[in-house]
Amino acid sequence: MAHALVAHSSARPSPSPATAWEETLARVTSGDATGLAAYLVTLDEPGRRKVAAELPGYVTATARTAGWQEWARQGRPLLVAGVACMGGASAVAAWLFRRELPRWLDDDEVELLVGLLRRRPVEWQADVARRIAARMRLPEPRHWDIAAALVRETGIEPPDGEPFIVGWLRRLRPETAGRDPLLAAYGPRILEIDALAQTPLWQVVETVAHLVHGGLLDRAAVIDAVVRRLLRDGPAARAELAGLHDRLDLDIDESARYAADYAGLLPAGPVAVADVALAQLRRLEEAGRLEEELFAEAMAALAFRPEKKLLRAAVSWAGDAVLREAGRVDTVLDALSTIFTQDTLALQERAVRLAVRLAPQAGPAGREAVRQAAAELPSELREQVSAAYGGGIAEAAPPAAPPLPVGECPPLPPPIASPEELVLELAGFRWPPDVWAFERLLAGLAEWSHRDPERLRQALRPWWHPFTPGAYGHHGGEIHESLFTAVSRAFLAFAAPERSRKLTAQAPGRRRRPDAPGAPELLYRRRALELVTPFEEGTGYPVLLATPTAGTGHLDPSALLDRLERLEAAGVRALPADLAQALLRLPRRFAPADVERAVRLTSEAGRTCAAWMRDGGMPDPEATVTVRETAHGARLEAELGAPAPGLPEEIRALFEVQDGHTYSLTWWPLALPAHRELAAAHLAGYLPWSMDANDRQTQALTALARGDGPLGAATAHALVCGMGHVNPAERAAATDAFLTLAARGETPAGALAAAVTALVTADLVKLNRVVSVLDDATQAGAHEAVWAVISGVLAGLLPKEGERPRAGAADLLAAGARAARIARVRGELPEVAAVAGRKGSSRLVQEARRLIQLVG
């Protein structure tokens, strides 16, 4: 590529500086990066300086106003122009990292830029390489390939920064690593860098193993580095490094040198790491090369692990080890007594069998540890231990339940304090959309457009000028609608009404291309878009009625009355969507003084508000939710009863429910804080589409639980969808919502049980994920609500005679047992008794027997 540029350099005389910029701009706007590079190398110094001088201002103005497709076409040619024409190494490096320009380049584009850089002196290239490396940041080291090419070709000392090293590791390959000139600098440090987790670690491991076996990395140093890194990372240690440890195949002498380190890995290391450490320690113990103190330390650490796999291995090792050395009996019994408290019946049984076998050899310390821990065991196992250890072991009292936390409502952000702050907030309104930013923007626009209009228009001019229709959703013959374009249109209508009027005039002849919003999101959009008309007409809108006064989305009645009185005094008619949203945010009960004050209002909006308060708001709709089978699998369909007559059209629109995917679900409960079942009916159709995505949409459930209003099938199905999310962090929002409802005594247990049964049966959610949420709720103190739900699903989810148990059924019974024990439940469970009476010792049967014993 560089040779082609050189050959082209004498193709024609250098144009004048003014012509050079015009020609450059034409190639930039056409997206011709290669042709531009070939053209720019023909320029003389004045021509390049002219181009370099024009570029920054052009990028600043155009990046803000061009549509995304248009800007994407120009980005790479602009990179080329800066690299070819800017004189200083500092200026070129800064240009490459301008936030408006492309971050990622393909191989041909990298080679094009490197070819231009190669035309400069070697010392200058080295300076650019160092500056690029210094600007790189993780997680994505921008322009690494450009810097690496210059580092290798100039032979300078490789940069020391971790972003550059991470970039190198991401491109490391076993077959080529040995020939890489950077290996000598970075090879010994591969396992030491802090950001190792941001590399493709399996690939790094494969390369390191290849280099060790080829003699290009020192084996002893790598072994030491692996063990030290596993210790250093603790709970965050990576399974890939445990795999590298196994690939290195340590001999017994090498393992013995790290015996203490292996014991140190057992308490907190991930399962894969603990597995490796356990295998090495067991190997050393079997060879008679493990000190007794380390054996005791390892046993104690393993006994506290929650993972069943490690606990089973601990019991197995304990049984074998005590046969080799009888003096270890009390050490083993101490570990077994800890395993007694692990709430897994199969593990408890294995630990009890070994403890009973060792009873004749037990010393005083071992016997006392076993007797104390045995009080926590199920009755049958406790009786076995009691018989072997002297009798008289009574059942321990159930653990005290912690007080249920009541989720606190988040505070409201402060109102916008100046036009300049309003413009900054507008510029920062980006993806993903934030509901409080939306509310502050609309309220601030209404406030400051009335309070200081000229100052706000001045502050807004750099935001909209120069004007481009694409920034407001107008692309050719289409209008792309979203929350962002709605807000932008409202601000444009105030800041540049003549521009806004042109867009409004063009709208009827253009095809609208909306995304997939639900009715609550459309209400938000209408609130923004309906501001366009008064601003275009010059009448303005001095105060927004619907701005909430509480973090739940609620609106204080007296605040709404103040705002209505302000509109009446200004002679301004309330906007329909603004009024509808304000009414929906009112509480469910009103003070007599507020009702009397509303009656005194004279405007149409005032009369509507007075009627709403006098009649106690809107009747709660009844929601039904059905699981529908489609060609693409099961999905949820929610339906609402017909709206009451006389409701505003903007509210009636909320009774149309659909499904799909959107990123605004967290907004919806805040639009309907006094009508949770109505909000949930919309969520029930959308949450299933987010159950495999880490898009934080389950946070809507937390906001939903903090509201008011009856709860039913819609709330239950929405909550169970959150419980069934693939990501534990996303399921935590469902746990928080469940705890909030339980703390307020509002858990719809019957509806939840029906929803769990329906969604698990339809394979829309996995039972084990739902159980994990219920278990977490039990630990947090919601055991009574949890038991109410679990007892309601047993009949529908436990297998009938001859049926294959569904995955998670045993976990369901275990979770029920934990909740029932704390709640001290007593009663008959015929479905569980039928399972408990079956032959065999499967975990399902065992857990059924334990639950029957607990409640009997």
Side-chain angles (χ1 to χ4, degrees):
M1 183 66 73
H3 295 306
L5 295 176
V6 172
H8 193 83
S9 64
S10 59
R12 59 178 173 172
S14 182
S16 69
T19 306
W21 171 241
E22 292 169 1
E23 181 69 18
T24 297
L25 189 56
R27 293 177 185 267
V28 164
T29 55
S30 69
D32 183 12
T34 303
L36 177 60
Y39 166 72
L40 290 174
V41 299
T42 70
L43 294 182
D44 58 14
E45 187 63 26
R48 288 195 298 273
R49 281 201 301 269
K50 175 63 176 176
V51 172
E54 295 284 353
L55 282 171
Y58 176 79
V59 167
T60 299
T62 311
R64 186 176 63 249
T65 57
W68 70 268
Q69 289 177 319
E70 178 186 351
W71 188 242
R73 184 171 63 251
Q74 296 189 32
R76 282 156 181 79
L78 285 167
L79 279 176
V80 165
V83 168
C85 297
M86 291 181 173
S90 175
V92 169
W95 184 253
L96 286 168
F97 281 85
R98 278 199 66 140
R99 61 182 177 83
E100 303 98 332
L101 297 180
R103 300 179 62 87
W104 319 123
L105 306 173
D106 62 29
D107 291 344
D108 289 341
E109 291 161 345
V110 168
E111 181 58 27
L112 183 63
L113 293 174
V114 171
L116 290 168
L117 294 168
R118 288 189 185 113
R119 299 174 59 80
R120 311 291 186 100
V122 172
E123 295 80 5
W124 187 94
Q125 295 179 45
D127 193 9
V128 169
R130 294 188 192 97
R131 291 177 184 275
I132 294 175
R135 283 177 172 268
M136 288 177 188
R137 297 291 183 270
L138 292 172
E140 294 297 337
R142 190 173 176 182
H143 298 315
W144 183 90
D145 294 287
I146 296 174
L150 296 177
V151 168
R152 288 180 173 123
E153 292 175 14
T154 60
I156 63 172
E157 183 177 349
D160 198 47
E162 287 210 345
F164 189 88
I165 302 175
V166 167
W168 177 71
L169 286 173
R170 288 177 180 177
R171 293 155 179 85
L172 204 59
R173 300 292 184 273
E175 60 275 12
T176 59
R179 301 190 301 273
D180 191 334
L182 300 179
L183 179 63
Y186 299 141
R189 301 171 52 190
I190 287 177
L191 301 179
E192 297 175 3
I193 67 168
D194 291 335
L196 190 61
Q198 299 191 47
T199 68
L201 209 44
W202 281 115
Q203 179 180 303
V204 172
V205 163
E206 186 66 29
T207 303
V208 169
H210 182 82
L211 293 171
V212 169
H213 294 317
L216 296 173
L217 286 178
D218 181 72
R219 171 186 165 81
V222 171
I223 292 173
D224 189 65
V226 169
V227 175
R228 282 189 290 108
R229 185 60 191 246
L230 292 173
L231 282 169
R232 168 185 159 186
D233 289 349
R238 296 291 294 269
E240 296 91 336
L241 294 183
L244 176 58
H245 182 284
D246 283 346
R247 293 277 296 276
L248 295 171
D249 194 22
L250 279 66
D251 62 34
I252 193 72
D253 292 324
E254 290 171 324
S255 294
R257 284 197 288 273
Y258 295 101
D261 296 320
Y262 294 138
L265 290 171
L266 289 178
V271 174
V273 174
D275 263 342
V276 167
L278 175 57
Q280 294 297 326
L281 289 169
R282 189 163 185 174
R283 172 193 187 193
L284 291 169
E285 186 272 326
E286 289 171 355
R289 300 189 61 174
L290 183 66
E291 296 176 4
E292 290 302 312
E293 287 184 5
L294 288 178
F295 173 77
E297 181 182 338
M299 276 287 120
L302 285 168
F304 279 102
R305 295 290 304 228
E307 299 87 359
K308 299 178 182 66
K309 176 183 179 181
L310 293 176
L311 291 167
R312 287 194 298 267
V315 174
S316 173
W317 183 22
D320 292 343
V322 80
L323 292 176
R324 285 186 283 272
E325 175 54 62
R328 296 169 173 161
V329 167
D330 279 5
T331 296
V332 166
L333 289 175
D334 189 60
L336 294 176
S337 68
T338 301
I339 295 174
F340 285 179
T341 64
Q342 296 279 359
D343 195 13
T344 302
L345 192 57
L347 278 170
Q348 291 173 328
E349 288 181 337
R350 294 183 68 172
V352 164
R353 281 197 299 270
L354 181 55
V356 168
R357 178 162 64 85
L358 296 177
Q361 302 164 261
R367 296 181 72 84
E368 182 59 25
V370 168
R371 285 183 59 85
Q372 286 187 8
E376 301 286 344
L377 289 169
S379 58
E380 184 178 343
L381 297 179
R382 186 177 67 254
E383 290 167 3
Q384 293 177 31
V385 175
S386 184
Y389 283 80
I393 301 177
E395 180 182 7
L404 263 174
V406 179
E408 293 185 3
C409 178
L412 277 177
I416 289 175
S418 70
E420 292 74 22
E421 183 185 344
L422 179 59
V423 176
L424 284 175
E425 185 84 6
L426 177 62
F429 189 50
R430 292 290 183 265
W431 192 263
D434 176 73
V435 64
W436 297 116
F438 175 91
E439 295 291 357
R440 294 179 79 226
L441 283 170
L442 292 195
L445 176 59
E447 172 71 15
W448 287 103
S449 65
H450 180 74
R451 182 171 167 184
D452 201 339
E454 288 310 313
R455 182 179 168 193
L456 179 57
R457 280 197 180 93
Q458 249 185 339
L460 281 169
R461 182 171 176 77
W463 169 78
W464 71 266
H465 188 272
F467 172 75
T468 176
Y472 309 95
H474 286 243
H475 299 280
E478 291 186 337
I479 300 177
H480 298 183
E481 298 177 329
S482 70
L483 288 163
F484 297 103
T485 58
V487 170
S488 297
R489 286 286 280 116
F491 273 83
L492 180 71
F494 168 76
E498 69 287 352
R499 302 282 190 180
S500 182
R501 284 192 289 268
K502 288 182 179 179
L503 293 181
T504 300
Q506 295 167 358
R510 299 193 174 189
R511 185 167 68 90
R512 297 183 181 274
R513 197 178 83 177
D515 45 13
E521 181 174 323
L522 287 175
L523 178 59
Y524 281 104
R525 292 190 193 181
R526 289 191 190 104
R527 288 176 56 208
L529 288 172
E530 70 182 2
L531 290 169
V532 170
T533 299
F535 286 136
E536 285 183 351
E537 294 176 349
T539 57
Y541 196 66
V543 62
L544 213 65
L545 299 177
T547 305
T549 56
T552 57
H554 280 95
L555 172 59
D556 185 83
S558 61
L560 175 57
L561 294 172
D562 289 343
R563 295 167 186 174
L564 285 167
E565 289 169 354
R566 184 175 171 185
L567 286 186
E568 288 189 1
V572 175
R573 183 179 180 181
L575 296 173
D578 186 31
L579 176 61
Q581 176 65 97
L583 296 176
L584 290 167
R585 281 180 163 159
L586 290 173
R588 298 177 63 82
R589 289 165 292 279
F590 305 98
D594 288 330
V595 177
E596 292 174 9
R597 184 179 168 193
V599 170
R600 293 195 293 270
L601 294 169
T602 58
S603 63
E604 182 182 350
R607 291 192 295 273
T608 301
C609 179
W612 183 279
M613 289 184 173
R614 185 178 57 246
D615 297 342
M618 179 179 70
D620 292 298
E622 184 176 347
T624 59
V625 183
T626 308
V627 179
R628 299 286 187 196
E629 292 293 337
T630 71
H632 304 290
R635 66 186 181 91
L636 290 186
E637 285 187 359
E639 294 183 3
L640 291 165
L647 288 175
E649 185 58 36
E650 289 74 17
I651 295 178
R652 296 176 67 84
L654 292 168
F655 285 73
E656 293 294 327
V657 183
Q658 59 187 43
D659 61 11
H661 183 268
T662 187
Y663 290 92
S664 66
L665 298 189
T666 55
W667 298 41
W668 296 7
L670 301 173
L672 298 159
H675 303 279
R676 288 182 293 190
E677 188 71 352
L678 177 56
H682 291 282
L683 292 176
Y686 279 79
L687 278 172
W689 296 79
S690 291
M691 286 168 59
D692 295 325
N694 297 326
D695 54 14
R696 311 298 291 165
Q697 297 307 296
T698 56
Q699 296 293 323
L701 297 169
T702 306
L704 182 73
R706 291 175 180 149
D708 292 318
L711 304 173
T715 301
H717 281 80
L719 186 53
V720 175
C721 286
M723 292 177 171
H725 199 285
V726 67
N727 187 341
E730 296 274 358
R731 292 199 295 270
T735 306
D736 290 343
F738 188 95
L739 291 174
T740 297
L741 295 176
R744 295 165 63 167
E746 296 178 337
T747 309
L752 275 172
V756 170
T757 303
L759 296 183
V760 169
T761 303
D763 290 327
L764 271 174
V765 301
K766 294 186 181 298
L767 180 57
N768 61 335
R769 295 174 186 168
V770 174
V771 169
S772 72
V773 171
L774 294 174
D775 246 346
D776 289 345
T778 294
Q779 297 303 315
H783 46 277
E784 292 182 352
V786 168
W787 174 251
V789 174
I790 289 180
S791 62
V793 305
L794 294 174
L797 295 183
L798 287 181
K800 306 297 188 291
E801 188 67 40
E803 288 182 348
R804 182 184 179 87
R806 69 180 68 252
D811 294 328
L812 176 68
L813 290 172
R818 286 186 280 274
R821 184 175 181 225
I822 300 173
R824 305 190 183 195
V825 171
R826 292 292 181 268
E828 295 184 358
L829 300 172
E831 299 86 2
V832 182
V835 175
R838 296 177 188 175
K839 296 179 180 179
S841 58
S842 69
R843 182 170 172 240
L844 179 70
V845 172
Q846 289 178 322
E847 293 293 356
R849 290 170 182 166
R850 175 166 65 152
L851 181 53
I852 288 297
Q853 289 177 357
L854 273 171
V855 302

